[in-house]
Structures are given as structure tokens and as C-alpha cells.
Amino acid sequence: MNTRPSSRAVRPARRRVATGTAAAILGMTMALGGALASPATAADAASATGIILGVGANETQRTVSWYTAEDSAQQVQLVPTARLANGEFPADAAVFDASGSANIATSGGFNRHATLTGLQEHTAYSYRVGTAGSWSPTYSFKTQDFEGDYDFLFYGDPQIGSSGDTAKDQAGWEDTVNVSLAANPDAELLVSGGDQVESANNESQWNAFLAPGKLKQYPWAATIGNHDVGGKAYEQHLYTPNTDRSAPYYSNGNPSSNTSGGDYWYIYKDTLFIDLNSNSYATSQGGGGDAAHLSYVNDIINKHGSEAKWKVLVYHHAIYSPASHAKDSDNKVRRTDFPTAFSKLGVDLVLQGHDHSYSRSYLIKNGQKADPEEHPGQNEVYPGPGGVLYVTANSASGSKYYDITAPDNSGTSGAGNGADPLNPGSYWYNSVQNQEHVRSYVKVGVRKDKLVVENLRSGTCAAPNAAVELKQDDCANTPEGQPVGSIVDKVTVHPHHGGGQDLQVDVPEAAPGEFGWTIDGYNGLVDLGTAKDKDGDHFEAAGTINPIAVTDSRRTLAPWSVSASVGDFKDADKTFSGSNLGWTPKVLQEGAGAKAGAPIGSGFDTQGKGLSVSRGLGSAAQGHAKGKAKLGADLDLKIPGSAAKGSYRATLTITALSS
């Protein structure tokens, strides 16, 4: 409970108590006689490296991962940025303990991660990692509305180091991150298509991947690629929520081996994201293969699908793509195993990498084109039951591009790579294929009743573009006609609503309401006049308090109470006890569930404490109706006959409580 005194108010005084326990105190003066007087007023920065912000289990969480040179207890300190004082964290900053372990020998040091929980919407936060006396620099992020529309960005294969020049790859990657977030500063998630680096345990490449400062400000949703899976550095650097690290989700079936793995899921606003380790696709390798992934997806959607409007799957190995990997035998296996299950489970969008080129599929149902009449490049699509859109992202760093390959005669459904009858130069399953040898990223706008998917250029033929600079790849881009930020492809996906009519209504955030009270009218002196002598035994005076107006508009309908107590009556050095004051509470205006408190007699008659201790004026029980009430009380003052002549004054302190 918090209490606070307030000065006397000439105008009506008002105190508001939001949901929670609080008390408001107001001085009200009372006098015996007519004279007036004033009433009484009641981290060493170098110790932590590789810091990256990660996605949490939902929008109220974030994760933070980092490396440390020492095997010491580590923490994250978190505070709303507005509470930083000259850059210093307050003593009561939230603290989250980190977990972790020793890194593999080639990485050295130790890995740590912590999950930040209890985040509030529309808040800028600052955080740092480390331990007392050895903190990292301070970084920041912001939360937005926890309901409604939002954008996330999807990045294909940075694969830092694959050009042979890590520095050039880093430059392209940093530029894409910066360009994409400058254009979309309110994007809420950064989603990975896998292959963060070229060599799984190469820490120089990991450092280059982690170099963009924005990765400490926007949550990264990691995905394992085939270049990440061969070592533990992926798991050391990138902690993910709700992760199943059991044997079926490792390609070799051995989580304790020097490989990374695991499937995970999270819900962000109205979207259920499921991320798969597509490196584990065949049981002959030792893992659970595609069957294990399908069982996982089925289980997660059955348990959590009803909690979201949209279902998005993310994995590395594209099954519908336009370049050389489109004909890989392992992708043909996935292309046979996945689509029918995804259609039956109501998946809306599948995001993929691996083929270093851009493609957007037709709507695919059960492994076939859902609508034979859907034409190439159609910018509005309407999935019927089971229609799924598959998107493959091009390189986000420019480290490597794959050229589009030609269809063959292997069929136009299932695992085949035959030509599209409507566009013979493309595969049967792709509505759009693109390779300009320029960096790009995918923006997904999640809206009330649609998904808007755009592929956007983050570079041109000019540097930084390592594959073009070093390998002299042909570059089919003109900065004048196809500049940075221009659209390669855009499609709007309208969901299927069955045979009926879905109804939707947006409910705004309800005002929390408030509980409050105020002196009704002018808060003047409660003058009890001149006390009357009662046979020389004692004096008596009477009056009424200024009415107290109570308002309760809270949705919680929590109980409330208003009480009061009085101090001693004083005139200079003369005094008598406030226990001589009693009252009879009453409800002057019904509402807000108000019930009057019990009558309290003057202590003069009973040798009791009267109003010298807190007594209830009025209250309401849990579940009472919203509304307004007015409380009052008749005062009964009996003064010992021994009291000296004078003009006495006391303060009635009113306290309002609500939980």
C-alpha cells in the first residue's frame, strides 16, 4: 500500500487509484469555535562479445545471447529507457540470470543467454549484459502494440565467407540490414532463412554476421542452414524459445555431438511461427527425418494453432525454388513429404532459403498447383482450403548467387521439375522467379485479413556486392530503373473463409477505468460551531462532513473502501483527544456498490478510541456494479469539561483503498 499526504485544497480535490492497491489521503479541517488557522498537513565492455537480441516465446519476451571470456555468473539488466539517469541503470532495474556452458574448443570461452520476460507494449527498453563491475555497453529496443497489424522482414542466406572475402560479405550484410530497417523502422521481427555463415565453427565469420548494430535492437528469429549445422557455434550464438533438442531433430540423431539442431515455435501477435531443422530429412542419417518434423508441426498446430490467425513455417531447404538446388535429390524428398501435410494443417506461408535466388510459388495444394487458372505474377491470390504460398529468398549479403536453371520433363506435380504450361521458362510451381545478382530481402505485412509479401532490393550491381565484385557475375540491374528499395515482386494473400461468412470486429484496448474519490463541492472548513455546555460535565458539538463522491469505472470491479481517522484537537498548547469524536456514516447517493460503515460512538461515553483510529466510512465488495456514490457522516463530538476555553482544530484524514 502507498500512502501520501496532500495539502489542503481550495478547489475540489480528486484522487484516482488505478487497479492495484493504493491509498489517497486528504486533510479536512474541523474546528470547535469560529477562529481559522492553517490545518496540519500530513560491465567491463570487453568481457561480453557477440551480443544479439533474439525472439521470445511471444511478444512479451525477448532473448539475449552472448559470449564471455570468463566462466562467471552473468546477467541481463533491463529497464525502461525513460528511467535511465544520465545513462545509469537505477538500483531497482530488472535482472535476468543467464544460463549457458563452455564453448567448443574452436570457439573458446563460454556462451550465455537469458530470456527477458514481462515486457510491456509501446515501451522503449535499455539493457546490458555481464556482471557487476563488468557490464557491456547499453543497447536498446522497443516494443509496439501487442495486437493488430505488423511487419516482419525475412532474410535469405547471408552465408558470410562464401565469397572468399569475409569483409566484403559483412559489408553487404550490414548494408542490407541497415537499408531494410531504415525503410521499415517499425518492423517487429527479423526472420532468418538459414546459413548465417559459410563455415559452421568459424568465429571470424560469426563475428562478421553479428556485426550489424541493429541485431542488438530487433529480435532475430534464427534458422539452421546446411552451412550452420556442422558445428555447435549456431547453438552457442543463437538461443531460440520452445526448442525441442531431442534426437529426432538432429540430422545424426545425436544432440550431444558437435552439430546443431532442434525445431522450435513461437507465437507473435496473431502468427504461429514454426521453425524446422530441415538438415534432418532422412532417417538413414540417424535423425527422425521429415516424418519427425511433420509430427512436430502437427502437434504444435493442434496445440497452438487456434491461438493465431496465421500459420507460418520457416526452414532452410527450399522445395519450390528456381536455381540449381531445385533439382537436388534431398529437396525432391522434402517436396514429396511436406506439401500435403502442410495443406491439411492449414499452413498459410512457407519461408525458405538455400537456393540463393528469389521465387514465389503458385498456391500449392497437396503437392500440386491449387488453381490451374492462376497466372504467372498474379498480384492477388485467394487460397481455397489447403492453398499454401512458398517463398524462397535470395542472398541478403551478396556473398553468393545461384543462377536460375531450366525446367526439365520430369513432371508438373509432386517432385517433378517440369515447365510451367503458362510460362515454359519457369518451373511448374513458380509464379515468379528472379535473379538479378543484387541483394534483396522479403517484407511480410501481417494484416487483419491478408498477408502482403514483397521482395525488395537492398542493393544494386555496385559494391557492396561481393559475388559481383569478385566473380564478375553478370548483373541484370540498373540503379536508375531498379534502385535500392524498389519492388521485385509483390503479392497479397487473401485467406479462405469457407462456405460461410466470417465476421470480424476490432475491439480497441479498453480504458482500464479508475477508482477515485473527491470532496463533493467546496472543501471548506467543517465548522461545528460553539460547543454547548452539558451541566458542567462536558461540552457537545455536532455537524456533518463534506460529502465524499466515489467513482469506480474499473473493469475488474475490485473491492474498495473509504475510511478516516482524526488527530487530537489543538489550540496552541491546549489539546484534547480525537477519541472524543464519533460518527454515523451514511450513503447519500447510491451507486458503485456503496455500503455505509458502522456507527462509531464518541470515546467520551465509552472510554473507547472513537475516530482516533481509522474507521470505515463506506465500502463495496468484489463484483460490485460500476458507478458513482456519495458518502457522508453525521459527527458527534463530546469534549471533556476540563478542556480550556479556545478555538480548537483537528484534521480528518480520509484514506481510500482498492485492490
Side-chain angles (χ1 to χ4, degrees):
M1 182 196 316
N2 297 318
T3 62
R4 58 188 175 100
S6 69
S7 60
R8 178 184 175 205
V10 175
R11 293 174 295 176
R14 184 164 182 79
R15 295 293 183 269
R16 295 175 178 174
V17 182
T19 302
T21 300
I25 300 175
L26 179 70
M28 180 190 296
T29 61
M30 175 180 299
L32 173 62
L36 297 178
S38 298
T41 57
D44 180 0
S47 66
T49 59
I51 299 170
I52 183 170
L53 189 69
V55 70
N58 56 50
E59 60 274 1
T60 71
Q61 298 183 7
R62 300 289 187 272
T63 62
V64 184
S65 303
W66 68 98
Y67 276 9
T68 180
E70 303 295 330
D71 187 12
S72 60
Q74 297 277 302
Q75 297 175 323
V76 179
Q77 275 192 325
L78 177 75
V79 69
T81 302
R83 295 196 59 221
L84 289 180
N86 298 318
E88 295 296 322
F89 282 68
D92 62 347
V95 175
F96 298 89
D97 292 331
S99 302
S101 59
N103 287 331
I104 57 174
T106 54
S107 298
F110 303 84
N111 62 83
R112 295 290 185 264
H113 63 264
T115 300
L116 314 181
T117 61
L119 302 178
Q120 302 298 308
E121 61 184 355
H122 302 298
T123 304
Y125 287 97
S126 292
Y127 71 96
R128 61 184 181 180
V129 308
T131 188
S134 185
W135 293 110
S136 72
T138 298
Y139 305 103
S140 62
F141 64 89
K142 66 178 181 179
T143 60
Q144 299 185 47
D145 200 311
F146 285 172
E147 297 288 343
D149 298 347
Y150 75 102
D151 297 334
F152 70 87
L153 307 181
F154 176 61
Y155 301 91
D157 300 60
Q159 205 169 325
I160 305 299
S162 64
S163 74
D165 190 321
T166 296
K168 287 184 181 295
D169 294 348
Q170 174 182 330
W173 169 232
E174 285 192 280
D175 194 56
T176 287
V177 172
N178 291 335
V179 163
S180 62
L181 289 170
N184 304 281
D186 292 327
E188 300 188 34
L189 297 176
L190 311 182
V191 179
S192 164
D195 277 1
Q196 276 78 192
V197 296
E198 167 74 8
S199 302
N201 289 328
N202 187 315
E203 289 298 336
S204 294
Q205 293 174 6
W206 277 104
N207 289 339
F209 166 75
L210 294 167
K214 299 295 186 184
L215 295 184
K216 299 175 179 64
Q217 298 176 313
Y218 292 81
W220 182 254
T223 299
I224 303 177
N226 58 297
H227 285 266
D228 305 314
V229 74
K232 281 294 185 189
Y234 172 91
E235 290 183 6
Q236 293 168 179
H237 278 294
L238 303 172
Y239 181 76
T240 52
N242 298 324
T243 305
D244 191 331
R245 299 192 187 281
S246 56
Y249 309 116
Y250 281 75
S251 57
N252 61 6
N254 185 4
S256 63
S257 66
N258 188 25
T259 61
S260 291
D263 289 358
Y264 75 98
W265 66 275
Y266 58 98
I267 291 178
Y268 194 86
K269 294 191 178 180
D270 280 333
T271 310
L272 171 62
F273 289 89
I274 303 176
D275 194 288
L276 307 177
N277 172 22
S278 58
N279 296 283
S280 178
Y281 72 96
T283 55
S284 59
Q285 299 173 300
D290 288 347
H293 296 309
L294 291 176
S295 177
Y296 181 84
V297 173
N298 184 77
D299 183 58
I300 297 303
I301 288 179
N302 283 337
K303 288 180 178 177
H304 302 286
S306 62
E307 301 170 30
K309 285 182 182 178
W310 304 99
K311 302 175 186 68
V312 176
L313 300 187
V314 186
Y315 54 80
H316 181 62
H317 294 80
I319 62 174
Y320 297 117
S321 64
S324 58
H325 284 312
K327 298 182 181 182
D328 288 351
S329 60
D330 60 326
N331 276 335
K332 290 186 177 183
V333 171
R334 297 184 190 91
R335 199 183 304 156
T336 300
D337 291 345
F338 284 167
T340 297
F342 293 169
S343 292
K344 290 180 177 178
L345 288 169
V347 172
D348 298 289
L349 177 65
V350 178
L351 299 173
Q352 312 155 114
H354 192 50
D355 215 9
H356 296 249
S357 51
Y358 173 76
S359 67
R360 181 243 295 185
S361 76
Y362 291 112
L363 294 172
I364 302 295
K365 179 179 179 180
N366 300 336
Q368 301 185 52
K369 187 176 178 183
D371 178 8
E373 301 304 315
E374 182 184 346
H375 58 77
Q378 188 170 309
N379 58 15
E380 302 272 343
V381 296
Y382 299 83
V388 183
L389 184 73
Y390 294 78
V391 172
T392 304
N394 202 347
S395 170
S397 67
S399 63
K400 181 193 292 184
Y401 305 107
Y402 291 146
D403 288 326
I404 291 173
T405 55
D408 53 36
N409 59 1
S410 59
T412 55
S413 64
N417 290 101
D420 177 9
L422 302 179
N423 187 14
S426 294
Y427 290 101
W428 67 265
Y429 43 73
N430 280 337
S431 173
V432 175
Q433 302 181 163
N434 177 269
Q435 181 58 280
E436 299 173 7
H437 295 158
V438 298
R439 294 177 283 115
S440 67
Y441 65 96
V442 175
K443 173 183 176 180
V444 180
V446 182
R447 302 294 181 259
K448 296 177 186 177
D449 199 38
K450 60 187 176 183
L451 296 176
V452 182
V453 181
E454 299 176 79
N455 182 234
L456 299 156
R457 298 176 180 91
S458 57
T460 64
C461 295
N465 193 347
V468 172
E469 294 177 70
L470 299 173
K471 302 174 184 177
Q472 282 83 50
D473 284 353
D474 292 335
C475 190
N477 171 273
T478 59
E480 299 79 17
Q482 301 160 306
V484 170
S486 58
I487 297 173
V488 176
D489 177 43
K490 180 176 181 179
V491 63
T492 300
V493 183
H494 301 274
H496 177 66
H497 294 289
Q501 297 184 31
D502 288 347
L503 301 179
Q504 176 170 311
V505 61
D506 291 334
V507 178
E509 182 175 3
E514 60 182 25
F515 168 73
W517 63 271
T518 181
I519 306 297
D520 187 48
Y522 175 67
N523 183 21
L525 185 70
V526 178
D527 191 346
L528 303 186
T530 301
K532 296 180 180 179
D533 188 348
K534 293 295 182 178
D535 301 324
D537 177 66
H538 66 281
F539 299 93
E540 291 185 357
T544 59
I545 67 171
N546 293 319
I548 305 297
V550 174
T551 301
D552 194 351
S553 60
R554 296 169 300 167
R555 305 179 75 197
T556 58
L557 305 180
W560 59 263
S561 64
V562 177
S563 58
S565 62
V566 70
D568 289 345
F569 286 79
K570 295 181 179 180
D571 178 14
D573 59 349
K574 297 174 288 189
T575 184
F576 64 84
S577 174
S579 64
N580 293 291
L581 181 66
W583 70 3
T584 301
K586 51 192 176 183
V587 176
L588 303 176
Q589 175 184 314
E590 293 186 354
K595 303 293 182 183
I600 301 296
S602 167
F604 179 82
D605 295 325
T606 63
Q607 303 303 308
K609 295 183 178 180
L611 290 183
S612 66
V613 297
S614 182
R615 306 291 190 178
L617 176 63
S619 63
Q622 173 68 45
H624 63 81
K626 298 179 184 179
K628 298 180 179 180
K630 286 186 182 179
L631 306 175
D634 294 331
L635 300 173
D636 173 27
L637 180 62
K638 294 182 178 179
I639 306 163
S642 60
K645 178 182 178 181
S647 181
Y648 292 80
R649 179 164 295 181
T651 298
L652 186 72
T653 301
I654 301 170
T655 303
L657 296 177
S658 183
S659 59

